[in-house]
DNA sequence: CGCACGTGGTTTTTT
DNA sequence: ACCACGTGCG
């Protein structure tokens, strides 16, 4: 076959795209054309007549990825893609559950709880059950419930051998009852419920098995056990599962993803051969060389080595800063230079391990007048005012949604306080009904609130979606509430922003109506729960990208700065403590492979963290990169703050300056905070703290391997580096 | 009922 | 340093 569809594919990509109808695992390295292979495979199946769009199910990790695939597909194929199911696991399960809500024992209007909703539902339940939230932190209970479900376990199936776990299982059971009563499902429930539906209902299962002869899965390394079981169920014995993934980019094990699914797939689906996509089209040889050298320190890899036809390239630039502030200053300087050389700001990314690190960077960028955009952080549909507006809509749609009612029954304030709410809860318990029903019978302010919801529902019954929302915003009192807050000088800005966001909600609804066939309120509410991200205003502007390494997966940039490369930060201390360095290293691997042309690696000797100055050693990951690929940019002496302690020098013991002016007398001793030291038994470390003087002096040292220790200078054999 | 102040807790994140 | 949450007061 010689179609333009297949031209330009390399032999491995071609093999993957044109595989006969059988299950397959495609091991696709970073930048190896993974998305292209997936979309071309679908286009190939359809255009050769092997399958109609109706026979295809494509699963992605994020909504964004699903959207992108759909866009690419419609560019490749002139035919209508209706009938093709593409989406995230959660989106697809939601779709099935809506279609078969009766069989799944759910109300047609069931609502989806996001993590925040879930947490408040758990808190509310625990209060009703009189559970001590000191002994059972709600967050931990939430985790317990979610991760149990993600393993495919119901409350009765959880292994609970100790009283503590047994109690959590009881809460779990009650929580599920509460959700059922209120007609809501949480994220993992979508998957579990859908899995149970398919496994219990044979005709339904066979219907979908006959339909989806081709199942394609992206980011397969990130699937959890329940998702894998769901895929297995749908695939049955006949269908082919085309899984694409990269074990080296598995960075979500911490929330239940199981890389082992890749091995299981090979066994369960009798996959004969794994196709490896190892040619990288993104980065030059030095960047790739560094990535390969790093990841080789990991055990238990499926084995894969990225290569590129473009050898060489410039070396990776390494910068050691005195402080996080210096680090940020260096970065802004380089960005300005890059911009002068014609690199667009939007082609530059600043990556960090944890969100807290963005602050120092942002500060420097603002002073430098560089526009930037922070990804992650608070999402549109998670903003307080949006959640409030949605709660009105949800309650109109489903009176049983106690979560929604509690959020808005007194917002804006209408004189229904904690006391009144308690009474409602008692009444509801009495006759085993919803808070809404209780409020309807209570009389007074509560009943007036019920009247408000009823009248909102009545007035908007025939309206198109954006007008429903507009009406609700106006008549719920939300708009008036924020308008009145504008008169308070301290809240003016905040209120204006919230009003803007509420307006943006109407825009989002308008967009939704244009993009979706099902433009009902119920569909929009599901969309709001399932697609919490993405919706960002002002994306047209040329701006830098700031994000965590996790958020950068799947993206690429001309230039990338990996910042905060310090032991304890990246790799993060928790992963060092728990011995989970491999996942952390994969994270670093993901970070490195985001860069096309230029890569900066920066770290600081001291950093302000949680209001305290921290001193750390350079990240061990930096030491794992081959020397010859790096170019150290030693900071100029005069540019450094007096409290800077070391002269940058790679790898070999660092030379300290003692001649720098110091402000306090005791810091002239070699045992100062921030000083790097060597100990015969514990190895290298940094002084965190000191105590006493002279012969009695004790110092606290943070050792790379052994962690923090107090040592007496009289006995410990410590030498400055 | 609503506001002011105090306390605790801060890896990563999508759905 | 900063934010979210909870308690106690006016």
């Amino acid at each position: 076959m010689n179609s333009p569809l297949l031209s330009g594919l390399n032999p491995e990509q071609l093999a993957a795209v044109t595989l006969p109808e059988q299950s397959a695992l495609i091991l696709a390295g970073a930048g190896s054309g993974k998305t292209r292979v997936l979309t071309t495979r679908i286009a190939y199946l359809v255009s050769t007549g092997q399958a109609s769009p109706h026979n295809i199910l494509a699963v992605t990790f994020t909504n964004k990825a699903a959207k992108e695939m759909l866009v690419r597909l419609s560019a490749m194929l002139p035919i209508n893609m209706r009938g093709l199911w593409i989406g995230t696991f959660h989106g697809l399960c939601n779709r099935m559950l809506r279609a078969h809500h009766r069989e799944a024992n759910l109300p047609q209007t069931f609502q989806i709880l996001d993590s925040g909703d879930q947490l408040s539902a758990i808190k509310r339940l625990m209060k009703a059950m009189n559970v001590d939230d000191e002994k059972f932190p709600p967050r931990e209970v939430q985790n317990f419930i979610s991760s149990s479900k993600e393993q495919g376990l119901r409350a009765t199936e959880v292994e609970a051998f100790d009283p503590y776990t047994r109690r959590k299982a009881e809460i779990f059971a009650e929580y599920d009852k509460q959700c059922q009563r209120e007609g809501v499902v949480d994220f993992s429930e979508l998957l579990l419920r859908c899995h149970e539906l398919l496994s219990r209902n044979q005709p339904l299962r066979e219907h979908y098995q006959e339909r989806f002869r081709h199942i394609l899965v992206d980011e397969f390394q990130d699937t959890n056990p329940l998702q894998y079981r769901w895929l297995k169920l749908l695939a049955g014995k006949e269908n082919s599962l085309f899984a694409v993934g990269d074990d080296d980019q598995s960075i979500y094990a911490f929330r239940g993803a199981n890389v082992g699914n890749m091995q299981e797939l090979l066994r369960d689906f009798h996959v004969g051969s794994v196709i490896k996509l190892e040619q990288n089209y993104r980065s030059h040889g030095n960047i790739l060389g560094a990535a390969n050298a790093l990841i080789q320190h990991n055990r238990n890899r499926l084995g894969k080595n990225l290569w590129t036809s473009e050898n060489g390239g410039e070396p990776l630039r390494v910068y050691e800063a005195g402080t996080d502030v210096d680090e940020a200053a260096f970065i802004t300087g380089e960005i300005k230079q890059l911009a002068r050389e014609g690199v667009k700001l939007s082609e530059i990314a600043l990556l960090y391990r944890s969100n807290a690190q963005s602050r120092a960077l942002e500060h420097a960028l603002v002073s430098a007048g560089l526009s930037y955009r922070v990804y992650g952080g608070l999402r549109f549909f998670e903003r307080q005012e949006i959640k409030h507006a949605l709660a009105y809509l949800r309650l109109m749609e489903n009176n049983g949604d106690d979560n929604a009612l509690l959020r808005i029954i007194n917002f804006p304030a209408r004189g229904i306080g904690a006391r009144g709410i308690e009474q409602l809860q008692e009444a509801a318990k009495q006759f085993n009904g919803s808070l809404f029903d209780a409020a309807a019978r209570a009389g007074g302010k509560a009943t007036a609130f019920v009247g408000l919801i009823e009248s909102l529902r009545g007035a908007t019954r025939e309206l198109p979606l954006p007008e429903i929302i507009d009406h609700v915003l106006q008549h719920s009192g939300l708009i008036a509430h924020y308008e009145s807050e504008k008169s308070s000088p301290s809240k003016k800005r905040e209120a204006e922003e919230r009003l803007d966001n509420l307006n943006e909600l109407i825009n989002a609804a308008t967009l939704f109506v244009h993009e979706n066939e099902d433009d009902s309120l119920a569909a929009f509410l599901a969309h709001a729960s399932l697609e919490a991200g993405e919706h960002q205003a002002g994306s047209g502007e040329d701006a830098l990208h700031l994000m965590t390494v996790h958020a950068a997966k799947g993206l690429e940039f001309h230039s990338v700065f990996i910042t905060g490369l310090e032991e304890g930060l990246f790799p993060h201390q928790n992963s060092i403590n728990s011995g989970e360095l491999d996942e952390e290293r994969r994270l670093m691997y993901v970070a490195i492979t985001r860069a096309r042309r230029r890569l900066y690696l920066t770290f600081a000797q001291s950093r302000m963290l949680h209001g305290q100055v921290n001193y750390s050693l350079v990240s061990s990951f930096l030491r794992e990169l081959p020397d010859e690929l790096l170019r150290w940019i030693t900071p100029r002496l005069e540019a450094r703050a007096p409290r800077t302690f070391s002269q940058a020098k790679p790898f070999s013991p660092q030379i300290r300056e003692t001649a720098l002016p110091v402000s306090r007398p005791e810091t002239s001793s070699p045992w100062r905070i921030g000083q790097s030291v060597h100990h015969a038994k514990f190895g290298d470390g940094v002084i965190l703290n000191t105590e006493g003087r002279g012969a009695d002096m004790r110092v606290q040292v943070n050792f790379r391997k052994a962690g923090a220790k107090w040592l007496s200078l009289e006995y410990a054999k410590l030498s400055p580096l």
Side-chain angles (χ1 to χ4, degrees):
Chain A
M1 160 153 183
N2 192 14
S3 105
L5 209 62
L6 304 179
S7 66
L9 295 177
N10 69 33
E12 293 76 27
Q13 292 174 332
L14 185 68
V17 166
T18 60
L19 267 177
E21 194 166 332
Q22 66 185 43
S23 290
L25 177 63
I26 315 299
L27 210 50
S32 65
K34 175 177 65 102
T35 312
R36 178 164 182 208
V37 164
L38 261 169
T39 44
T40 315
R41 168 79 176 168
I42 296 175
Y44 169 81
L45 289 172
V46 173
S47 66
T48 56
Q50 295 183 56
S52 93
H54 184 80
N55 298 128
I56 296 171
L57 178 72
V59 193
T60 60
F61 191 57
T62 62
N63 289 301
K64 194 171 151 195
K67 217 178 229 174
E68 188 186 329
M69 270 179 67
L70 208 51
V71 169
R72 288 213 206 176
L73 259 179
S74 29
M76 279 179 177
L77 284 180
I79 67 163
N80 194 331
M81 277 293 151
R82 272 184 64 172
L84 169 77
W85 277 34
I86 181 166
T88 62
F89 282 102
H90 295 84
L92 296 165
C93 287
N94 174 53
R95 189 164 173 181
M96 281 192 190
L97 291 174
R98 297 266 169 213
H100 312 288
H101 64 92
R102 214 181 301 270
E103 293 88 334
N105 189 25
L106 285 170
Q108 187 170 14
T109 56
F110 74 84
Q111 304 290 315
I112 300 166
L113 301 184
D114 67 19
S115 337
D117 299 330
Q118 184 186 27
L119 189 62
S120 39
I122 289 171
K123 282 183 184 164
R124 179 159 54 88
L125 173 72
M126 286 176 56
K127 216 169 222 169
M129 288 176 72
N130 267 321
V131 180
D132 181 356
D133 59 4
E134 301 257 296
K135 278 192 205 131
F136 297 89
R139 283 214 176 273
E140 201 189 306
V141 175
Q142 180 182 28
N143 243 332
F144 175 78
I145 294 175
S146 296
S147 55
S148 299
K149 287 185 181 180
E150 276 157 19
Q151 306 288 318
L153 300 174
R154 286 284 173 199
T156 49
E157 300 163 322
V158 168
E159 286 189 2
F161 299 127
D162 58 288
Y164 185 71
T165 313
R166 267 201 292 278
R167 187 71 176 137
K168 284 200 289 192
E170 280 170 28
I171 303 172
F172 181 2
E174 285 303 313
Y175 164 79
D176 270 358
K177 277 190 210 160
Q178 173 178 286
C179 289
Q180 184 65 31
R181 199 165 54 234
E182 297 174 4
V184 295
V185 297
D186 61 47
F187 286 138
S188 28
E189 181 71 23
L190 281 172
L191 295 168
L192 186 52
R193 188 71 73 109
C194 189
H195 181 269
E196 288 170 350
L197 171 69
L198 291 173
S199 72
R200 284 179 195 156
N201 191 325
Q202 191 188 346
L204 205 60
R205 179 173 68 247
E206 285 174 352
H207 163 77
Y208 281 112
Q209 284 176 344
E210 268 160 46
R211 171 171 180 174
F212 295 128
R213 294 198 354 250
H214 293 273
I215 302 173
L216 299 94
V217 190
D218 193 12
E219 307 279 13
F220 187 71
Q221 77 283 352
D222 289 321
T223 52
N224 66 36
L226 177 57
Q227 290 164 338
Y228 181 65
R229 282 168 56 181
W230 186 82
L231 288 170
K232 242 166 84 175
L233 207 53
L234 271 177
K237 288 209 162 60
E238 307 285 318
N239 297 330
S240 67
L241 187 65
F242 186 90
V244 183
D246 179 3
D247 55 322
D248 290 332
Q249 292 188 70
S250 155
I251 54 174
Y252 287 106
F254 74 93
R255 63 169 209 231
N258 177 28
V259 204
N261 285 348
M262 298 183 99
Q263 317 272 15
E264 287 204 32
L265 175 90
L266 297 182
R267 272 205 314 276
D268 294 348
F269 289 82
H270 310 106
V271 173
S273 64
V274 175
I275 296 181
K276 294 182 183 176
L277 305 182
E278 298 178 294
Q279 183 173 2
N280 174 293
Y281 297 95
R282 182 183 294 157
S283 317
H284 61 62
N286 284 348
I287 291 174
L288 227 46
N292 281 334
L294 178 92
I295 203 66
Q296 252 146 33
H297 287 82
N298 271 8
R299 300 283 131 226
N300 301 324
R301 297 177 56 218
L302 291 179
K304 177 173 54 48
N305 228 349
L306 282 181
W307 62 278
T308 171
S309 58
E310 191 190 352
N311 286 318
E314 59 177 49
L316 283 54
R317 302 174 187 221
V318 183
Y319 185 88
E320 175 179 17
T323 67
D324 48 349
V325 176
D326 299 343
E327 182 190 39
F330 166 74
I331 291 170
T332 53
E334 291 296 305
I335 291 171
K336 282 184 176 168
Q337 183 56 37
L338 282 166
R340 275 194 290 274
E341 289 167 15
V343 181
K344 275 171 58 182
L345 289 182
S346 58
E347 274 294 346
I348 303 173
L350 272 54
L351 307 184
Y352 34 80
R353 178 62 177 80
S354 56
N355 280 310
Q357 288 165 252
S358 76
R359 203 163 284 281
L361 295 169
E362 287 185 65
H363 189 83
L365 292 172
V366 170
S367 342
L370 291 165
S371 44
Y372 66 91
R373 186 149 227 270
V374 184
Y375 292 78
L378 193 56
R379 304 182 139 63
F380 181 73
F381 286 111
E382 280 169 7
R383 289 168 194 278
Q384 186 208 92
E385 61 277 18
I386 301 299
K387 288 292 254 182
H388 281 135
L390 293 175
Y392 278 96
L393 297 164
R394 289 168 73 140
L395 197 56
M396 287 159 56
E397 193 72 7
N398 172 12
N399 290 345
D401 193 336
D402 287 359
N403 245 4
L405 180 138
L406 287 169
R407 179 179 273 277
I408 50 166
I409 191 168
N410 200 35
F411 193 96
R414 27 180 95 83
I416 305 173
R419 198 55 213 285
I421 288 169
E422 242 169 65
Q423 286 166 353
L424 286 181
Q425 282 172 323
E426 266 165 46
K429 209 173 170 184
Q430 287 283 320
F431 63 89
N432 197 24
S434 66
L435 291 176
F436 191 87
D437 293 337
R441 304 178 188 194
K445 292 166 181 167
T447 305
F449 173 75
V450 168
L452 170 66
I453 299 297
E454 306 268 10
S455 81
L456 290 175
R457 184 169 30 223
T460 57
R461 204 178 299 274
E462 302 297 324
L463 296 179
L465 184 61
E467 287 172 40
I468 296 179
I469 297 177
D470 189 36
H471 180 95
V472 169
L473 291 181
Q474 294 296 341
H475 295 85
S476 62
L478 278 178
I479 297 278
H481 172 82
Y482 291 120
E483 283 292 347
S484 76
E485 276 199 339
K486 280 207 300 200
S487 53
S488 147
S490 65
K491 288 187 180 166
K492 186 158 190 281
R493 277 182 61 117
E494 188 186 279
E496 277 170 356
E497 201 184 309
R498 294 196 194 279
L499 286 168
D500 283 348
N501 286 329
L502 289 176
N503 244 327
E504 188 61 33
L505 182 64
I506 300 176
N507 293 341
T510 310
L511 194 69
F512 180 81
V513 169
H514 283 294
E515 284 182 350
N516 295 73
E517 236 170 278
D518 179 1
D519 59 2
S520 65
L521 176 55
F524 181 69
L525 289 172
H527 164 86
S529 301
L530 291 173
E531 202 168 332
E534 308 325 315
H535 200 92
Q536 285 209 13
S539 49
E541 195 193 350
D542 182 39
L544 293 158
H545 291 73
L546 268 68
M547 61 184 90
T548 63
V549 182
H550 282 90
K553 192 169 84 157
L555 306 177
E556 60 174 71
F557 303 92
H558 174 279
S559 297
V560 170
F561 292 80
I562 305 175
T563 70
L565 279 170
E566 293 134 45
E567 200 69 4
L569 195 61
F570 194 3
H572 194 272
Q573 191 59 49
N574 293 1
S575 61
I576 298 173
N577 296 341
S578 58
E580 286 155 357
L581 268 185
D582 280 10
E583 174 145 323
E584 208 70 4
R585 192 176 282 109
R586 290 193 291 269
L587 198 52
M588 180 67 180
Y589 176 78
V590 168
I592 294 174
T593 52
R594 296 311 97 195
R596 284 203 297 269
R597 314 311 316 163
R598 181 170 292 187
L599 182 58
Y600 289 90
L601 308 167
T602 68
F603 63 101
Q605 295 163 353
S606 78
R607 177 178 301 275
M608 195 70 142
L609 219 57
H610 314 313
Q612 278 195 329
V613 182
N614 276 257
Y615 300 87
S616 322
L617 292 167
V618 58
S619 169
S620 49
F621 293 155
L622 199 49
R623 294 164 164 247
E624 292 174 2
L625 304 181
D627 239 335
E628 63 272 18
L629 299 182
L630 308 180
R631 193 180 110 211
W632 284 73
I633 305 168
T634 306
R636 282 164 290 121
L637 200 60
E638 64 274 15
R640 311 176 76 187
R643 68 189 192 84
T644 305
F645 303 108
S646 84
Q647 182 77 294
K649 206 130 186 266
F651 305 142
S652 49
Q654 303 186 345
I655 299 154
R656 302 284 144 181
E657 325 139 31
T658 42
L660 274 175
V662 284
S663 49
R664 295 193 310 170
E666 68 264 26
T667 53
S668 62
S669 135
W671 313 116
R672 303 171 310 199
I673 291 173
Q675 172 69 50
S676 293
V677 293
H678 180 81
H679 183 276
K681 189 169 148 208
F682 299 132
D684 293 349
V686 187
I687 297 183
L688 292 177
N689 221 334
T690 66
E691 200 178 84
R693 296 170 167 259
D696 294 333
M697 189 170 181
R698 300 199 323 134
V699 296
Q700 189 189 28
V701 182
N702 188 14
F703 289 104
R704 182 190 293 281
K705 295 239 166 59
K709 295 206 183 307
W710 278 100
L711 301 168
S712 168
L713 283 179
E714 200 180 353
Y715 307 110
K717 292 191 184 70
L718 220 51
S719 49
L721 287 178

